[in-house]
């Protein structure tokens, strides 16, 4: 039986999938956190600020301070402080919500979008170079695969419990 490298124990349903594609994808996911931190350093902002901008840019629905705080896993007061900081820095603007005028909507400024794109340019150029080495069929298959993986990941996120699962205690009491 294959063991988990971090714990030495097999998972509840056996070892995780170990195809080369699954391993490569896990590596991409691990590096994604480092990428966000590198982007924050390049922009001269904190990682939470960079994560907030990312959520605002990629959200299909307008987000207000409460929704942004929920996505970041921070309390309302912290979300307000974060939004105030992003507004002062010129990264975010407050606007009336498009469907509910009693609420606020947060919008990333054109200036911030330009800064983010410029900071991401070296990585995006590298990705474009990698894609250019693929045949059109490989590029199409890769894009389809990545969209499907994104759907799987969205399902995983959507089916997660609202609260963190209690941690199992281990020790001399036999647990």
């Amino acid at each position: 039986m294959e063991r988990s490298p971090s714990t030495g124990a097999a998972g509840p349903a056996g070892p995780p999938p170990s195809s080369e594609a699954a391993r490569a994808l896990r590596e991409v996911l691990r590096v994604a956190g480092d990428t966000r931190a590198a982007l924050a350093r390049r922009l001269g902002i904190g990682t939470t600020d960079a994560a907030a901008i990312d959520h605002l840019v990629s959200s299909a629905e307008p987000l207000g301070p409460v929704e942004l705080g929920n996505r970041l896993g921070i309390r309302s007061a912290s979300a307000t402080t974060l939004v105030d900081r992003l507004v002062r820095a010129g990264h975010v603007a407050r606007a009336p919500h498009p469907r509910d005028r009693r609420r606020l909507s947060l919008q990333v400024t054109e200036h911030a979008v330009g800064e983010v794109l410029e900071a991401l340019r070296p990585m995006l150029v590298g990705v474009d170079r990698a894609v250019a080495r693929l045949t059109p069929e490989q590029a199409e298959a890769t894009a389809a695969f990545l969209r499907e993986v994104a759907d799987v990941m969205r399902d995983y996120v959507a089916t997660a419990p609202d609260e963190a699962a209690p941690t199992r205690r281990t020790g001399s009491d036999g647990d």
Side-chain angles (χ1 to χ4, degrees):
M1 177 184 270
E2 192 171 310
R3 301 277 179 193
S4 167
S6 63
T7 64
S18 60
S19 70
E20 186 63 30
R23 283 193 300 275
L25 181 59
R26 285 195 308 270
E27 179 65 15
V28 166
L29 294 173
R30 276 191 295 274
V31 173
D34 296 339
T35 302
R36 181 174 280 163
L39 174 62
R41 288 191 308 273
R42 288 172 186 257
L43 294 172
I45 62 177
T47 55
T48 303
D49 295 24
I53 290 170
D54 182 43
H55 279 290
L56 292 170
V57 167
S58 61
S59 177
E61 293 291 317
L63 298 179
V66 171
E67 294 92 355
L68 180 61
N70 289 341
R71 290 192 182 192
L72 294 170
I74 61 176
R75 297 182 191 276
S76 179
S78 297
T80 299
T81 301
L82 168 69
V83 170
D84 289 344
R85 185 171 58 245
L86 291 172
V87 168
R88 275 193 313 276
H91 297 301
V92 171
R94 291 181 177 96
H97 192 279
R99 291 182 302 283
D100 184 350
R101 296 292 181 187
R102 298 168 295 172
R103 296 177 52 213
L104 282 178
S105 172
L106 303 172
Q107 299 172 345
V108 177
T109 63
E110 286 184 35
H111 171 74
V113 170
E115 282 186 338
V116 168
L117 288 175
E118 188 57 36
L120 288 173
R121 185 175 310 285
M123 183 181 69
L124 297 175
V125 167
V127 169
D128 281 347
R129 268 193 238 118
V131 171
R133 287 191 291 273
L134 301 175
T135 66
E137 294 79 16
Q138 290 172 323
E140 187 177 318
T142 300
F145 169 75
L146 292 172
R147 283 191 293 273
E148 187 171 342
V149 167
D151 287 342
V152 168
M153 293 171 72
R154 275 190 281 279
D155 289 345
Y156 179 79
V157 169
T159 59
D162 290 337
E163 299 284 327
T167 58
R168 276 190 50 196
R169 289 183 38 203
T170 58
S172 60
D173 60 358
D175 281 13

